[in-house]
Amino acid sequence: MTQAAETDGERALPERLVALLTGHLDVEVAPEQLTAAMTFESLGMDSLSLMELVVAAEQEFGIVLAEGELDLFPASTLGEAARAFEHAA
């Protein structure tokens, strides 16, 4: 994939993030429909759901996210979360 084709809307999400969303958090969207440009809010996730996502990611990926290191909000995109987890790993 070329650099120009990797815009936030087209960039593939890491499989582990998709698995967390669809497996641990029961997001009712087919994995192939999840895009980096989608917001957590559009998936029906609130602040509590985001905290569950962080805890699940820490357990699944074996990472520890320092307080304030991962500033995710319902309006954050899945792409932003993918980049944050990538940097923490």
Side-chain angles (χ1 to χ4, degrees), residues 7-58:
T7 63
D8 263 353
E10 298 171 3
R11 180 181 227 208
L13 292 171
E15 287 181 30
R16 296 192 307 175
L17 177 59
V18 172
L20 282 176
L21 290 167
T22 58
H24 290 286
L25 299 174
D26 300 322
V27 170
E28 294 182 12
V29 175
E32 61 274 4
Q33 293 179 323
L34 293 172
T35 68
M38 289 179 129
T39 65
F40 290 104
E41 200 169 43
S42 71
L43 298 173
M45 295 177 68
D46 58 13
S47 298
L48 181 58
S49 300
L50 290 175
M51 287 305 301
E52 291 176 26
L53 174 65
V54 170
V55 170
E58 288 179 336

Side-chain angles (χ1 to χ4, degrees), residues 14 16-17 20 40 50 53-58 61 63 65 69-70 72 78-89:
R16 296 192 307 175
L17 177 59
L20 282 176
F40 290 104
L50 290 175
L53 174 65
V54 170
V55 170
E58 288 179 336
F61 304 154
I63 58 176
L65 298 164
E69 184 176 321
L70 185 63
L72 292 179
L78 301 183
E80 290 169 337
R83 282 190 296 278
F85 292 142
E86 226 172 65
H87 288 109

